[in-house]
Amino acid sequence: MGCSRGLLLNGILLILLAGCNNGISDKAALQEEQWQKIGPGGGGATFVPTFSPLDQDKFLLRCDMTGTYLTRNGGRSYSQFNFPNGVASFAFHPSDSGIIYIGSSVLNRSVDGGNTWTQVFPVQKEVVKTFYSGDHANYGMEVQEGSLYQRGSVNNIRIDTSSGGRIYFNISRWFYFSHNNGETWERKDCNYPIEFIYTNNTSAAGEVYIFTARAMIVFNKSTGDFKENGLPGTIHDAFSFTGGTRKGADKMLFYAIHHDPLKEIEGEFGYSDIWMSEDTGKTWFRVSDTVISNASSGIQPSFSMIRCAELDADRVYVVTNRYIEKTDTSGRYWYGALNSSDGGRNWQWCWKGGGGSGRYGIKDGQDAPNLSDAWVKEAFGGEYIRLMDVGVYPADGNIAIVTDWYRTMKTMDGGSTWQEVYSEKKGEGYVSRGLDVTTAYGVHFDPFDKNHIAISYTDIGYHHSYDGGNTWIRSVEGVPGDWVNTCYWLVFDPGVKGRVWSGWSNLHDFPRGKMTRAPQWKRRARGGICVSDDGGKTWRPVVEGMGFDSPVTCIVLDTGSPEDNRTLYASVYNKGVFKSTDGGKSWQLKNSGIGDNTAAFELTLTRKGELYLVVSPTPVYKDGKRGREVYSGAVYKSVDGADSWQQLRVNEGMLFPSGIESDPDDPDRLYLACWANISLSDLIGGDLARSTGGNETLVMPGGVFLSEDAGKSWSAIFDTTLYVYDVAVDYRHKGKLYLNTFNSAAYSSDDYGKTWKKLKGYDFHWGQRPVIDAHDREKIYLTTFGSSVWHGIPQTE
């Protein structure tokens, strides 16, 4: 792991503790037994909160980074399930607490409460091949000819108890239904993507209501007939439908959100209104309450999600991210949730935050005062925070969950108060409840305090722990406000207690191609290096010669340099490589020999003092304009302290190197992690690819390449179809290596990479770096793109 090389070679060899663990057969339990997820909890967006109708304490959520989370105790703790590409929908069986359905790229079913899972559709015998492709290593399948499967996500799962064995779901515009618990399936093309599927065992016992943006289709369960009823033109194109029956009265209510198509707002959900039907979708009327319409200001709010309690449908919640209150001089922007307890006639705020300019990262507002929160309120509470989703307990609309960019919150009293269900305060810090939904780049060890470790994070910056990782504290004091989104890397000085350098950027997710698709991306970038003299409690920027517009993704320290004038190297994604010989006070650009592509991502400094650099592929913007031409990634070497660079020839054609590592026992032995084939659209954008001749695959080898002669020659030593993020050499065990992938697996080798074995219990789709545990000889850390950090004993299958 290149960024850590200056750290691992120099003095972190503290007391090593042995450990042991016993695997168990159940997959979910094995994961929890063998791996501990560490971090403050939360930190990312969660979606589709779905309650069991039989138990208010049991619910599921997903994050947008492929993880799925189940709680059986109201959110005090969670189990995590991982399905490739993540999931889109959930369904608990209405009468059997052990049966759960999860819709991912396939339909999955558990009959033991979530302990084990079976693929229900398509059945395994129809699957010819599975594969990963693209910049995010998206999972896909090839199926047998004649299969009903359509590639996409399984949505809107509905289990029908009025007719035994009936299951419904959709993939995009295709409605699927089974009469025999999923043994066989039929499908119907509904012309538009399906937004909502509803049925019940009372008033809708004979019908299924299928909603698209422009029509309601009624499916007759007995005859199999479909009848389409168009929605009124005034609510084209409606979305986020919800529905249910009134409590104590078998009368259905349906709700939907609609945007004014003449008033679109870039990056927002538009000018919105809410529509209702009280006669099973035959007629619709607009909700006219003055609060929900923001009548006092005359500016329609922006609504994104609406949900009601299916057995208590008069209770309904809606999420807003732009609700403007006019003032004498301008306007105040509010965000949050509103609810109704009388079937949408009267509405009130139940979560009201903001009141400022509504701009990200600007602390000129306030968090909702009725939130009992963990660390997020202190960190981001005065900023604009986008809310993401809402879910309601079917039997009681007083119980609901609302999620936002960072946290998951629950109410038990109809929105009067909200309680965090993602992170728990302990002492001065916080500990995750198991809902870990953010990206980590590295784990870092204080050479003077074995209990002090740090994590460099996307979106939530720098967190550190003073009790060996049990609790965590966010620490960004002194970091410029437009940098704090992402801390990509940091280095503790092994010779000076308390001294730490960290690299920051307002642009997260490098080296993913989506971050560089706009010609202005280099000019929009902000970032740089900060230094701390108190172990990361406070920071100050040190960017003379570099500037405040320098997204730093990696820092390495030459520990042989004088302690009062340390030599440091930094990769800056939009500029190249910088060097400092005065401890970071000033910097010089060192790009001699580096080509036009300066997307410098990771550096490694070997024991011999040789530098290696990986550069990521990016688009070529001729005259500042978008086009189909792209730069290949590259690998460079410097033997003179970055004064000059030589490009290394790993293979012919395109290359996407991600990480490079040197063996401390033999610094001429190098391991290069590479990304496999991606699409042109991953780099330049789908719209441009389609309009300029169509998309195409950029063929390149993934896996791991080995050089035993300091980069002169290379050979593939791992599956070249896999997407390997980085490699780590375990300096504690001769010949031991680890790698992590975006292919739902991590691997180890005991023989310098000649053979590899998969690690047990780890199956997160998007893995990043393996990190050697400096304090426990038998453990490692695995950083992830969306599931924080996993810590455990790397047993193999």
Side-chain angles (χ1 to χ4, degrees):
M1 182 172 47
C3 281
S4 67
R5 175 51 48 213
L7 177 67
L8 293 178
L9 287 179
N10 296 281
I12 310 299
L13 300 178
L14 304 177
I15 299 174
L16 300 177
L17 304 174
C20 63
N21 212 335
N22 294 317
I24 55 179
S25 59
D26 173 84
K27 186 176 181 180
L30 172 62
Q31 179 192 108
E32 294 172 10
E33 177 76 12
Q34 189 168 346
W35 298 97
Q36 176 192 9
K37 268 79 81 178
I38 64 171
T46 50
F47 302 84
V48 202
T50 303
F51 286 88
S52 165
L54 302 176
D55 186 350
Q56 68 184 38
D57 286 333
K58 185 184 291 186
F59 58 84
L60 280 155
L61 308 105
R62 73 167 179 89
C63 75
D64 58 352
M65 311 295 282
T66 77
T68 298
Y69 309 87
L70 169 66
T71 180
R72 301 174 178 89
N73 55 20
R76 293 193 298 275
S77 63
Y78 296 83
S79 298
Q80 182 174 340
F81 312 125
N82 299 300
F83 298 92
N85 293 350
V87 307
S89 59
F90 308 112
F92 290 91
H93 197 284
S95 58
D96 188 332
S97 62
I99 299 177
I100 309 172
Y101 286 84
I102 286 182
S104 59
S105 296
V106 301
L107 180 65
N108 309 278
R109 178 170 59 205
S110 174
V111 296
D112 55 11
N115 292 323
T116 58
W117 296 90
T118 302
Q119 183 173 314
V120 178
F121 177 83
V123 292
Q124 287 288 353
K125 67 180 181 181
E126 290 185 5
V127 179
V128 176
K129 183 176 74 171
T130 62
F131 58 89
Y132 293 83
S133 63
D135 191 38
H136 281 72
N138 293 320
Y139 174 81
M141 295 181 297
E142 289 183 10
V143 294
Q144 293 176 348
E145 187 175 352
S147 172
L148 297 181
Y149 177 74
Q150 294 285 325
R151 189 173 182 183
S153 297
V154 171
N155 269 289
N156 297 305
I157 307 166
R158 179 71 57 171
I159 306 165
D160 189 349
T161 56
S162 66
S163 302
R166 293 182 185 267
I167 310 168
Y168 316 104
F169 68 87
N170 72 284
I171 299 177
S172 187
R173 69 177 196 258
W174 298 92
F175 173 70
Y176 290 83
F177 54 101
S178 172
H179 303 288
N180 51 18
N181 274 319
E183 291 185 22
T184 60
W185 294 89
E186 299 176 65
R187 73 179 184 190
K188 162 78 173 179
D189 187 351
C190 293
N191 299 318
Y192 287 91
I194 296 169
E195 302 282 344
F196 181 58
I197 297 172
Y198 179 76
T199 189
N200 60 45
N201 60 3
T202 54
S203 53
E207 297 169 323
V208 180
Y209 296 88
I210 306 162
F211 291 88
T212 73
R214 299 199 168 195
M216 183 186 74
I217 301 168
V218 182
F219 170 55
N220 187 299
K221 299 176 186 178
S222 299
T223 66
D225 294 335
F226 289 83
K227 180 182 178 181
E228 181 170 328
N229 300 318
L231 296 177
T234 50
I235 63 171
H236 290 175
D237 292 302
F239 72 103
S240 191
F241 293 86
T242 189
T245 56
R246 284 183 160 150
K247 197 166 192 174
D250 189 19
K251 182 177 182 180
M252 285 186 284
L253 298 180
F254 292 124
Y255 304 85
I257 300 176
H258 170 257
H259 295 330
D260 186 337
L262 301 178
K263 297 180 180 179
E264 291 298 324
I265 302 176
E266 183 180 356
E268 275 289 354
F269 290 99
Y271 292 83
S272 313
D273 43 42
I274 297 173
W275 289 72
M276 287 187 60
S277 175
E278 297 179 329
D279 57 5
T280 64
K282 296 181 181 68
T283 62
W284 293 79
F285 61 90
R286 181 178 174 179
V287 173
S288 58
D289 175 72
T290 56
V291 176
I292 205 71
S293 64
N294 193 20
S296 62
S297 287
I299 303 173
Q300 286 177 271
S302 165
F303 299 129
S304 56
M305 295 289 173
I306 190 167
R307 295 287 184 271
C308 71
E310 288 199 3
L311 303 176
D312 186 14
D314 282 315
R315 292 188 176 272
V316 57
Y317 296 74
V318 67
V319 167
T320 179
N321 285 299
R322 180 184 50 80
Y323 190 103
I324 303 174
E325 178 183 303
K326 283 186 177 179
T327 64
D328 293 338
T329 56
S330 58
R332 294 194 292 172
Y333 287 72
W334 299 94
Y335 57 87
L338 302 99
N339 66 0
S340 171
S341 60
D342 58 4
R345 285 168 175 77
N346 296 283
W347 293 79
Q348 55 280 322
W349 284 94
C350 60
W351 173 324
K352 189 176 184 182
S357 62
R359 292 181 294 166
Y360 169 74
I362 306 299
K363 290 184 178 292
D364 59 0
Q366 63 183 36
D367 206 7
N370 59 335
L371 272 56
S372 179
D373 194 16
W375 63 271
V376 168
K377 190 180 187 82
E378 180 182 348
F380 302 107
E383 303 177 9
Y384 168 76
I385 303 176
R386 183 184 291 278
L387 276 71
M388 308 307 298
D389 213 339
V390 55
V392 190
Y393 177 50
D396 184 353
N398 286 303
I399 303 172
I401 289 172
V402 167
T403 68
D404 64 21
W405 268 339
Y406 307 106
R407 57 196 169 183
T408 301
M409 307 294 290
K410 180 182 176 185
T411 182
M412 299 291 291
D413 54 17
S416 295
T417 60
W418 297 85
Q419 175 69 43
E420 60 76 19
V421 286
Y422 68 94
S423 178
E424 180 182 3
K425 184 170 178 60
K426 286 190 175 180
E428 297 299 314
Y430 295 89
V431 60
S432 172
R433 296 187 182 277
L435 196 60
D436 299 285
V437 289
T438 194
T439 295
Y441 284 93
V443 182
H444 316 271
F445 309 96
D446 187 336
F448 295 93
D449 181 356
K450 71 175 183 179
N451 290 315
H452 183 208
I453 60 177
I455 300 176
S456 42
Y457 274 120
T458 277
D459 290 336
I460 62 174
Y462 170 92
H463 279 66
H464 58 178
S465 170
Y466 284 92
D467 54 13
N470 292 315
T471 61
W472 295 86
I473 302 168
R474 183 172 186 260
S475 185
V476 298
E477 183 180 342
V479 180
D482 56 356
W483 292 10
V484 295
N485 179 274
T486 298
C487 179
Y488 277 104
W489 203 254
L490 60 111
V491 174
F492 284 91
D493 192 323
V496 181
K497 185 176 182 180
R499 185 189 290 166
V500 196
W501 293 269
S502 54
W504 299 81
S505 175
N506 66 325
L507 298 180
H508 60 196
D509 293 357
F510 290 140
R512 306 279 63 80
K514 64 184 179 181
M515 305 308 300
T516 58
R517 290 176 189 162
Q520 302 82 16
W521 77 269
K522 288 188 177 183
R523 297 197 300 272
R524 292 174 179 171
R526 295 293 179 267
I529 291 177
C530 286
V531 67
S532 173
D533 296 312
D534 54 13
K537 294 177 181 177
T538 60
W539 303 91
R540 66 182 186 279
V542 283
V543 292
E544 182 183 334
M546 178 185 292
F548 284 81
D549 57 348
S550 305
V552 173
T553 55
C554 183
I555 307 169
V556 293
L557 165 66
D558 181 356
T559 53
S561 57
E563 292 181 358
D564 56 349
N565 280 301
R566 288 296 200 190
T567 294
L568 297 155
Y569 303 90
S571 58
V572 178
Y573 205 75
N574 63 343
K575 295 181 180 180
V577 177
F578 283 82
K579 179 180 180 179
S580 173
T581 56
D582 55 11
K585 298 182 183 67
S586 62
W587 297 87
Q588 289 183 310
L589 185 63
K590 296 287 186 176
N591 280 356
S592 178
I594 297 175
D596 292 335
N597 181 13
T598 57
F601 181 62
E602 186 175 294
L603 286 160
T604 284
L605 178 62
T606 75
R607 193 187 66 195
K608 290 170 61 177
E610 296 175 339
L611 280 166
Y612 293 89
L613 166 71
V614 297
V615 174
S616 306
T618 55
V620 175
Y621 296 113
K622 292 183 177 179
D623 301 321
K625 297 179 180 179
R626 299 172 71 198
R628 292 178 66 88
E629 189 176 353
V630 297
Y631 291 117
S632 173
V635 182
Y636 292 92
K637 176 182 179 179
S638 176
V639 296
D640 55 9
D643 285 339
S644 63
W645 295 90
Q646 174 192 1
Q647 185 172 351
L648 304 180
R649 300 298 175 186
V650 179
N651 78 309
E652 297 299 325
M654 285 288 293
L655 187 71
F656 193 159
S658 182
I660 190 166
E661 175 74 305
S662 169
D663 189 330
D665 293 328
D666 180 1
D668 288 343
R669 183 186 291 125
L670 307 170
Y671 299 95
L672 178 70
C674 289
W675 226 236
N677 303 343
I678 64 173
S679 297
L680 178 64
S681 61
D682 290 326
L683 289 179
I684 69 172
D687 59 337
L688 182 61
R690 288 188 297 269
S691 65
T692 57
N695 198 13
E696 62 181 272
T697 298
L698 302 178
V699 178
M700 61 190 77
V704 178
F705 285 83
L706 167 69
S707 175
E708 297 181 284
D709 53 12
K712 295 184 181 70
S713 61
W714 298 86
S715 59
I717 60 169
F718 189 71
D719 189 339
T720 58
T721 68
L722 297 188
Y723 296 74
V724 180
Y725 192 96
D726 214 341
V727 184
V729 175
D730 190 343
Y731 54 89
R732 309 163 305 182
H733 305 282
K734 193 175 264 313
K736 189 82 168 181
L737 309 172
Y738 297 98
L739 64 82
N740 206 355
T741 76
F742 262 43
N743 298 90
S744 303
Y747 297 82
S748 71
S749 172
D750 292 315
D751 53 13
Y752 298 96
K754 293 177 183 177
T755 60
W756 296 88
K757 294 181 180 179
K758 189 176 179 180
L759 300 189
K760 287 182 180 179
Y762 175 81
D763 62 353
F764 190 69
H765 186 173
W766 290 338
Q768 298 213 132
R769 290 185 171 110
V771 180
I772 307 304
D773 188 331
H775 307 310
D776 190 324
R777 184 177 178 82
E778 302 305 321
K779 291 185 177 181
I780 65 167
Y781 297 88
L782 297 172
T783 71
T784 70
F785 191 75
S787 187
S788 192
V789 176
W790 295 43
H791 184 217
I793 299 175
Q795 298 176 4
T796 58
E797 294 182 354

